[in-house]
Amino acid sequence: MSPMLILAAEEMESPLVPPIPELVIGLIAFVIVFGFLAWKLLPNINKVLEQRREAIEGGIEKAEAAQTEAQSVLEQYKAQLAEARHEAARLRQEAQEQGATLIAEMRAEGQRQREEIVAAGHTQIAADRKAAASALRQDVGKLATELAGKLVGESLEDHARQSRVIDRFLDELDEKATKAEATR
């Protein structure tokens, strides 16, 4: 066979199967590259993945802790709000009770002052009535004495006689006034 033919026969072998020396060199190169990557790169990759996993787990734990804390703060806020509402209602009730008590006291004081003013008024009226009756008695007595003296034609200057005439005249006036009030 000719060298060309051998060459052609060699080339005619399967194009899919590479020659053995190339296959061995490729396999050695692959093992070297893979070994280098596994030795240098794989620990760094694992380290980064572990850090990410820890960061994610830590973030989840922090989020759960923050959520728990937020829930407890919310519960405290709700409790404080309920307590503040209760306190406000209690203060409002106390203020209403104090207001009612104050109003009752002021009414009682006003009633007492009104009664004092009315009593003082009645006392003043009675005193004025007595003073007016006394002054009227004296004036009526003088007028009656003068009139009686003119009618009788003699002087009624005698004090005892004057007193009797005045008393009789006033007694008659009182009787007429009493009868007039009784008929009303």
Side-chain angles (χ1 to χ4, degrees), residues 150-161:
K150 287 182 182 178
L151 288 176
V152 174
E154 65 181 75
S155 176
L156 296 174
E157 293 296 324
D158 182 20
H159 187 55
R161 194 181 322 165

Side-chain angles (χ1 to χ4, degrees), residues 15-36:
L16 295 177
V17 177
I20 301 248
E22 285 181 16
L23 192 60
V24 170
I25 292 175
L27 189 60
I28 292 173
F30 178 75
V31 169
I32 291 172
V33 169
F34 187 76
F36 178 75

Side-chain angles (χ1 to χ4, degrees), residues 3-23:
M4 292 269 244
L5 236 40
I6 295 177
L7 196 52
E10 281 181 13
E11 287 181 20
M12 292 297 270
E13 285 181 20
S14 171
L16 295 177
V17 177
I20 301 248
E22 285 181 16
L23 192 60

Side-chain angles (χ1 to χ4, degrees), residues 69-96:
E69 184 180 348
Q71 188 66 27
S72 68
V73 168
L74 178 64
E75 293 299 323
Q76 288 176 354
Y77 171 73
K78 285 181 180 179
Q80 287 175 350
L81 184 61
E83 184 179 329
R85 285 182 179 157
H86 178 69
E87 183 68 18
R90 184 185 64 77
L91 289 175
R92 189 172 36 250
Q93 181 66 26
E94 284 180 9
Q96 287 175 347

Side-chain angles (χ1 to χ4, degrees), residues 137 140-141 144-145 148-149 152 156 158-176:
R137 211 170 249 246
V140 169
T145 307
V152 174
L156 296 174
D158 182 20
H159 187 55
R161 194 181 322 165
Q162 186 180 13
S163 291
R164 283 192 311 265
V165 170
I166 292 171
D167 288 338
R168 194 173 9 142
F169 179 71
L170 290 177
D171 288 338
E172 287 175 9
L173 282 177
D174 282 341
E175 284 178 29
K176 288 181 183 178

